[in-house]
Amino acid sequence: MTDTLEQRTDPPSGKSSPGRDLLALARNTWRGLTSMRTALILLFLLALAALPGAFLPQRTPSPQAVRDFFTRNPTLAPLLDRVGLFDIFGTPWFSAIYLLLFISLIGCLVPRTWEQIRGLRARTVAVPRNLSRLPHHAASDDDRTPDEVVAAARSRLRGWKVDVREELGGVRTVSAEKGALREVGNVVFHMSLLALLAGIAVGKLFGYEGNVIVMADGSEFCNSGILAYDTFRPGLRVDGTNLAPFCLDVDRFTAQYRPDGAADSFAADVRYSDSAALADGTPPVPTTIAVNDPLRLDGERVYLLGHGYAPQFTVTFPGGEQRTLATQWEPVDQRTFLSQGATKFDRPGVTDEAERRRTQIAITGLFAPTSSGGSVVTSTYPALTAPEVAADVYQGDLGLDSGRGQSIFAIDQSMVDQGRLTRVVRENLVPGQTIALPDGTQIRFDSVKEWVNLQVSHDPAQDAVLVAAVALLVGITLSLTVKRRRIWVRATPASPSTTDRRSLVQVGGLARTDQAGYGEEFERLRDDLLRPRHGGS
């Protein structure tokens, strides 16, 4: 009795160990992650997470729009920025959803693809025992033998996947199926979606985008390194040291506007040299870059994103020294291209550092390509028909050597607040007019140049993404338009006699997809497959 009790109190031999529990947890987690339900939930979450990107400006394509949003919403914008809503596609939580969806799709699609391949190679389903239970069925006596019925059915069902079988008593059957491309399209759609996500991921890792403003007066830009760009957004695996070299010269910018000021077309005439031309010394090739018509070379795409104006000023200092400078000004009204900016000058030939800082000049204000006239300058049309600038001239220390970053479109307001930079003149100018500062400095508004904003994009997976997108459309089209259906034919001899050619022919059909139209198709097939015996019904 004691031995029996001792045996009952021993731990069972099948008790799970921590290692087995961990393995079971990992297995169950993998099964849950790779289920189709989880994949659909993650796809919904990805679409939901990307939704703010459609309503809020994003830093990657439009940093200026983000700055404008901060200006209009000083309280709300910092809160949204804390959770990354101005850079949705670069946030860790969006990347986590993206990665989980990627893994889930792989876990779902690989076994399903093998299953689909096996299904395509497998024989069609055998004829059900009772065809009269199917939603579509018919039967009739026939003058032909079962072999003749089967031969006629195979001929009529050309293009279907057909299997012929024999049953006891000389019974011959035909199993036919059509519409397997529906499942193929479904698999192609999901595999293409997976390839699309993979292509986008490769682009984020090894691609880059850079923006640069180039004067449309023959100025040159070369893709020699990240310092050539105004802004540069590298992929996670890009350090900017191995960019494909090319150069282009922007000769002219042309814009066409409608009478209401709406833009009709933008185009920039450029000359470019790719890496081969730079190595061989071949002359640049002329071409035109337009909106949605980029320049493609060396795996790069050069887009024309925008344009603007750069007022040109000549400053003549009291000692007779001159400096001429045209700096791009930033459009503040995209409808009329009213622009703001700051053109900054250092007095040449000054070796004393304190003296140089006291004599720096900045011309700020508003520029109107088509001025409304009057004391308050505003623009009425985006084309350059009646240019005028409302100039505020500041003199003193611009703070260029302070070590802090400074916008090219504005002066350092802290220098004004400290009294180190003072406004000395405010006046409206048209091209050719000159204003004089109290110390005898002359400032002439010479003319207006145009500049273009170019974006250079490199995406090594762009061709793969295009192929995946096309395959995705093909797959979803097949999945939505192709109907899966089956039809079975059973030909039973009317009697065991070898001289009696009559047969009882039964036909049954089943639509595997819930779509209308199979009833009419079955009726046509039934009429072709059944040949009633003469004098019969």
Side-chain angles (χ1 to χ4, degrees), residues 105 128 252 420 529 536:
L105 284 176
R252 188 179 63 170
R420 299 166 64 181
L529 294 173

Side-chain angles (χ1 to χ4, degrees), residues 42 49 98 151 240 255 271 320 328-329 335 370 377 436 466 477 505:
L42 289 172
Y98 186 94
R271 290 171 291 121
Q328 61 266 28
W329 284 27
R335 186 180 61 86
T370 300
V377 173
L466 176 61
T477 300
V505 181

Side-chain angles (χ1 to χ4, degrees), residues 149 163 243 378 385 491 493 499:
V149 171
D163 271 331
L243 305 183
T378 186
T385 58
T499 59

Side-chain angles (χ1 to χ4, degrees), residues 75-358:
T75 303
L76 178 62
L79 299 177
L80 299 178
D81 196 30
R82 289 181 182 177
V83 292
L85 294 187
F86 297 109
D87 191 16
I88 288 290
F89 308 107
T91 56
W93 49 270
F94 187 88
S95 300
I97 298 174
Y98 186 94
L99 182 61
L100 288 175
L101 176 61
F102 195 81
I103 296 173
S104 181
L105 284 176
I106 292 176
C108 291
L109 293 180
V110 171
R112 185 173 181 181
T113 301
W114 284 115
E115 181 181 349
Q116 179 64 25
I117 293 174
R118 288 195 299 267
L120 292 174
R121 299 179 60 185
R123 300 184 67 182
T124 58
V125 178
V127 178
R129 181 171 300 178
N130 192 348
L131 291 175
S132 62
R133 292 183 178 180
L134 296 177
H136 303 283
H137 63 274
S140 175
D141 291 330
D142 199 291
D143 291 334
R144 297 168 294 178
T145 64
D147 290 339
E148 292 172 336
V149 171
V150 168
R154 295 191 66 167
S155 177
R156 175 60 181 84
L157 296 173
R158 186 175 291 111
W160 293 58
K161 184 180 179 181
V162 177
D163 271 331
V164 177
R165 295 179 174 88
E166 293 187 9
E167 297 180 358
L168 296 177
V171 177
R172 301 292 302 279
T173 64
V174 177
S175 303
E177 183 174 338
K178 198 171 186 179
L181 282 179
R182 177 185 178 88
E183 292 301 323
V184 173
N186 198 10
V187 172
V188 168
F189 167 74
H190 287 91
M191 293 296 288
S192 301
L193 179 61
L194 184 63
L196 189 65
L197 293 175
I200 294 174
V202 170
K204 292 296 183 182
L205 287 173
F206 301 100
Y208 62 83
E209 284 184 351
N211 287 72
V212 60
I213 291 177
V214 184
M215 290 293 179
D217 59 356
S219 297
E220 183 181 59
F221 162 75
C222 288
N223 190 42
S224 56
I226 61 176
L227 295 179
Y229 290 93
D230 297 323
T231 60
F232 189 78
R233 296 175 293 277
L236 297 178
R237 306 296 296 175
V238 175
D239 57 8
T241 60
N242 194 25
L243 305 183
F246 70 87
C247 292
L248 62 86
D249 302 310
V250 182
D251 294 326
R252 188 179 63 170
F253 175 80
T254 304
Q256 301 292 334
Y257 299 99
R258 299 173 186 171
D260 61 354
D264 196 24
S265 66
F266 293 156
D269 297 328
V270 303
R271 290 171 291 121
Y272 71 91
S273 300
D274 57 14
S275 57
L278 291 174
D280 299 340
T282 306
V285 179
T287 188
T288 300
I289 305 176
V291 177
N292 296 326
D293 186 16
L295 170 65
R296 301 177 184 271
L297 47 87
D298 291 337
E300 320 292 308
R301 292 164 294 162
V302 183
Y303 292 93
L304 176 62
L305 293 188
H307 72 103
Y309 296 104
Q312 178 174 300
F313 299 94
T314 295
V315 177
T316 303
F317 291 91
E321 309 94 338
Q322 280 192 343
R323 277 201 170 174
T324 300
L325 189 61
T327 304
Q328 61 266 28
W329 284 27
E330 177 186 27
V332 293
D333 186 344
Q334 293 294 333
R335 186 180 61 86
T336 64
F337 270 78
L338 181 69
S339 305
Q340 67 179 5
T343 305
K344 304 169 186 179
F345 295 85
D346 261 335
R347 183 171 181 173
V350 178
T351 58
D352 182 68
E353 189 68 20
E355 177 66 17
R356 185 180 67 83
R357 291 184 177 182
R358 286 195 301 269

